[in-house]
């Protein structure tokens, strides 16, 4: 788990650490949380980078030095101890035909590929309750839409790049929408409010077939 | 009856906001908070409140509230809306007393977009995940203020106000924002188009982000996909359409389009006062 860490400027209050893989991101964040450098205000992990927010402008330079010295902790593979979440989906999304065209599959094959193997929550972000799911069928890799929709409905199931995900509430979004689920992704009256937590396994099933 | 504000009119949009909920981005919850944090802090300091006490963020005026349960002190900052107490003009940027039963009204500001009505003791609605800020992106926090709401006012702090008037801000028609080159500036053909052009604030702007009309910032490889990255307030993201979006208070925690510039923290507060149709320019600064 060694390799160069590069730290990029991000305005006057933040720094972007490039790690190159989701595994190294998880290990890096574990290391930061185990021994937080002074002036660290918040950490936003994502696919291959970690955005680090500084408590104030004056500490950004010392924080940069500290971040260059952080080694990702090893053994930070996504945990499988969180159990599996099953999500029934009605595959009626407005981009299902586009996804079929982009992947060279027919619509039934897209559904079979999406339900055919388990996904795993790699990290959160974008919106409360949203989990970036990885580990699905590689044939489903599709680009985001050319321009984002201003309103994607809650429960919409989408694909983008290596990921699948479920929109927890109505929000803008640029993912290719292939279906809809009724299962709430986010509920403030639930503890924890998010259904999908990093590490959890997710299985999509065709609604009404189990 | 304990002290409260009874809402009679809300104007186009009225939200309870404080300085937000830091540290929750791991579960996908952004910081949120007042769009113009400086204006909120200013009002709170004038009233000897804590800096992070919650106040009402009033977009384009039109708020009318009745003071119930006891007298209170208030202060209006941000976009300089006309302020009246029972029809008598008092003005923004002053610390003003309002007796029980008084009706406070904010007119439409001549410049700026968001005014802050702070009361001594703060707006004391129940916090959600540690903050009283409404996040329009996630829907978390106190719901948007509606006619008939009774907004509790907190206990007055031990300290007393030391000033009774504040300097109003200077809001220029053309806003110039200082920005640092972003981590993905090479994803667009010519990032200097950002600082060479005059941009127009789109009417599709909100607390999530300000969309900027102008020349397209063309992607070098429109089909190339950026793995999602964390974002912060002030990030300028460019989707393949080439129309830049400046992230404001309720921006998504992570985003999938390249960030080509990041507006310095202090200038994001000024950006939050820009109205649709207004002109915006950028200039490069070092981080």
């Amino acid at each position: 788990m060694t390799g160069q860490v590069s730290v990029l400027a991000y305005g006057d209050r933040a720094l972007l650490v490039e790690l190159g893989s989701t595994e190294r991101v998880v290990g890096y964040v574990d290391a930061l949380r185990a021994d937080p450098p002074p002036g660290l205000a918040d950490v936003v992990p994502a696919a291959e980078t970690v955005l680090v927010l500084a408590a104030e402008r004056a500490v950004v330079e010392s924080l940069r030095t500290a971040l260059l010295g952080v080694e990702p902790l090893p053994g930070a593979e996504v945990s499988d101890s969180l159990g599996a979440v099953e999500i029934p989906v009605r595959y009626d999304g407005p981009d299902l035909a586009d996804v079929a065209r982009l992947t060279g599959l027919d619509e039934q094959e897209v559904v079979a590929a999406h339900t055919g193997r388990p996904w795993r929550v790699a990290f959160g972000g974008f919106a409360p309750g949203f989990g970036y799911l990885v580990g699905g069928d590689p044939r489903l890799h599709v680009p985001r839409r050319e321009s984002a929709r201003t309103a994607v409905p809650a429960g919409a199931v989408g694909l983008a790049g290596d990921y699948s995900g479920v929109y927890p509430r109505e929000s803008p979004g640029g993912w290719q929408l292939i279906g809809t689920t009724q299962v709430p992704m986010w509920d403030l009256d639930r503890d924890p409010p998010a259904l999908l937590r990093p590490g959890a396994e997710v299985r999509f099933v065709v609604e009404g077939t189990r | 009856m304990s002290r409260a504000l009874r809402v009679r009119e809300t104007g186009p949009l009225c939200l309870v906001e404080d300085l937000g909920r830091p540290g929750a981005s791991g579960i996908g919850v952004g910081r949120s908070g007042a769009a113009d944090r400086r204006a909120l802090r200013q009002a709170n300091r004038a009233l000897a409140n804590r800096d992070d006490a919650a106040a009402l963020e009033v977009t384009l005026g039109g708020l009318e509230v009745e003071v119930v349960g006891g007298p209170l002190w208030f202060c209006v900052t941000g976009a300089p809306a006309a302020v009246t107490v029972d029809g008598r003009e008092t003005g923004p940027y002053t610390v003003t007393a309002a007796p029980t039963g008084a009706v406070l009204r904010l007119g439409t500001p001549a410049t700026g977009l968001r005014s802050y009505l702070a009361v001594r003791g703060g707006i004391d609605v129940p916090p959600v995940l540690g903050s009283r800020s409404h996040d329009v992106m996630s829907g978390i926090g106190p719901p948007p203020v509606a006619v008939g709401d009774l907004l509790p006012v907190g206990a007055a702090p031990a300290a007393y106000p030391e000033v009774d008037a504040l300097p109003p801000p200077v809001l220029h028609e053309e806003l110039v924002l200082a920005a640092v080159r972003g981590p993905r500036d090479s994803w667009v053909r010519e990032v200097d188009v950002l600082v060479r052009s005059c941009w127009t604030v789109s009417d599709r702007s909100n607390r999530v982000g300000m969309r900027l009309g102008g020349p397209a910032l063309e992607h070098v490889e429109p089909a190339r996909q950026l793995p999602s990255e964390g974002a912060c307030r002030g990030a300028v993201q460019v989707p393949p359409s080439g129309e830049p979006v400046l992230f404001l208070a309720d921006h998504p925690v992570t985003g999938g389009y390249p960030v080509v510039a990041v507006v310095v923290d202090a200038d994001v507060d000024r950006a939050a006062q820009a109205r649709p149709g207004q002109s915006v320019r950028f200039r490069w600064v070092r981080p």
Side-chain angles (χ1 to χ4, degrees):
Chain A
M1 292 287 282
T2 55
Q4 202 61 42
V5 167
S6 70
V7 178
L8 305 177
Y10 202 101
D12 64 344
R13 293 291 171 90
L15 295 162
L16 187 70
V17 185
E18 289 191 302
L19 292 147
S21 74
T22 306
E23 288 71 19
R24 294 191 78 221
V25 164
V26 174
Y28 193 85
V29 171
D30 282 348
L32 274 184
R33 297 221 161 106
D35 185 15
L40 181 113
D42 200 2
V43 173
V44 189
E48 298 177 6
T49 56
V50 177
L51 183 69
V52 176
L53 300 170
E56 52 180 319
R57 189 172 179 165
V59 302
V60 172
E61 273 317 300
S62 61
L63 196 53
R64 175 196 296 271
T65 308
L67 292 174
L68 283 167
V70 175
E71 274 289 316
L73 291 182
E77 291 82 20
V78 178
S79 154
D80 61 358
S81 61
L82 287 160
V85 178
E86 193 173 271
I87 301 178
V89 177
R90 193 169 68 240
Y91 285 91
D92 60 355
D95 301 323
L96 186 57
D98 277 351
V99 169
R101 187 176 50 76
L102 288 163
T103 55
L105 304 172
D106 65 34
E107 294 186 14
Q108 283 312 309
E109 288 169 336
V110 170
V111 174
H114 196 246
T115 54
R117 60 166 91 177
W119 299 75
R120 207 172 274 285
V121 185
F123 54 94
F126 169 65
F130 190 87
Y132 285 83
L133 307 179
V134 295
D137 193 315
R139 291 177 300 166
L140 292 177
H141 290 191
V142 288
R144 286 186 198 82
R145 284 166 48 80
E146 175 79 1
S147 83
R149 288 185 169 93
T150 49
V152 170
V157 178
L159 293 168
D162 301 349
Y163 304 108
S164 188
V166 182
Y167 285 81
R169 72 182 287 267
E170 185 182 299
S171 54
W175 289 32
Q176 310 272 4
L177 306 182
I178 58 170
T180 318
T181 181
Q182 304 298 318
V183 178
M185 294 294 114
W186 176 267
D187 180 358
L188 269 177
D189 296 328
R190 190 166 60 194
D191 187 22
L195 179 70
L196 304 183
R197 283 171 293 153
E201 186 178 287
V202 175
R203 286 175 184 277
F204 291 104
V205 297
V206 177
E207 191 178 272
T209 57
R210 67 177 295 267
Chain B
M1 183 187 226
S2 49
R3 292 185 313 158
L5 299 177
R6 180 179 284 132
V7 180
R8 292 157 54 109
E9 285 178 48
T10 63
L13 179 66
C14 177
L15 303 172
V16 179
E17 298 291 341
D18 56 18
L19 289 179
R21 43 182 76 79
S25 50
I27 55 164
V29 177
R31 170 132 189 183
S32 188
D36 182 349
R37 298 156 298 182
R38 183 176 177 277
L40 175 67
R41 283 197 192 98
Q42 200 179 14
N44 278 331
R45 286 176 189 177
L47 295 164
N49 282 343
R50 290 166 51 108
D51 268 16
D52 61 354
L56 299 181
E57 181 179 283
V58 184
T59 301
L60 290 173
L63 177 74
E64 193 174 283
V65 294
E66 180 188 347
V67 175
V68 300
L72 52 75
W73 292 86
F74 74 95
C75 181
V76 173
T77 58
V83 181
T84 58
V85 177
D86 287 332
R88 282 180 57 190
E89 194 152 343
T90 61
Y93 291 93
T94 61
V95 175
T96 309
T100 308
V103 173
L104 318 184
R105 186 172 170 82
L106 271 64
T108 306
T111 57
L113 187 60
R114 298 176 170 103
S115 307
Y116 293 85
L117 168 62
V119 295
R120 192 163 141 78
I123 300 292
D124 194 23
V125 295
V128 179
L129 297 178
S131 162
R132 295 180 174 86
S133 289
H134 176 82
D135 182 336
V136 303
M137 173 78 195
S138 67
I140 289 174
V145 173
V147 172
D149 283 358
L150 202 58
L151 303 169
V153 172
Y160 284 93
E162 290 176 359
V163 295
D164 55 14
L166 302 167
V170 180
L171 300 173
H172 297 287
E173 181 53 31
E174 184 176 89
L175 186 67
V176 182
L177 303 173
V180 177
R181 275 173 175 261
R184 306 298 169 211
D185 58 348
S186 64
W187 281 57
V188 292
R189 236 170 251 294
E190 214 185 340
V191 73
D192 280 343
V193 167
L194 191 72
V195 293
R196 283 209 306 263
S197 311
C198 183
W199 304 89
T200 305
V201 177
S202 161
D203 58 5
R204 289 173 297 132
S205 302
N206 58 18
R207 281 175 46 90
V208 174
M210 180 193 287
R211 290 177 188 246
L212 297 167
L217 275 165
E218 282 175 52
H219 279 215
V220 175
E221 293 175 67
R224 190 174 168 200
Q225 301 277 313
L226 179 75
S228 288
E229 295 188 335
C232 72
R233 209 190 267 228
V236 178
Q237 204 188 52
V238 181
S241 66
E243 183 188 56
V245 181
L246 168 58
F247 280 165
L248 298 180
D250 295 348
H251 65 83
V253 176
T254 61
Y257 299 124
V259 169
V260 303
V262 183
V263 172
V264 302
D265 196 61
D267 279 10
V268 187
D269 290 322
R270 300 196 303 125
Q273 292 296 355
R275 295 180 174 211
Q278 198 173 330
S279 302
V280 178
R281 285 181 176 275
F282 294 88
R283 65 183 174 91
W284 293 131
V285 293
R286 290 179 180 280

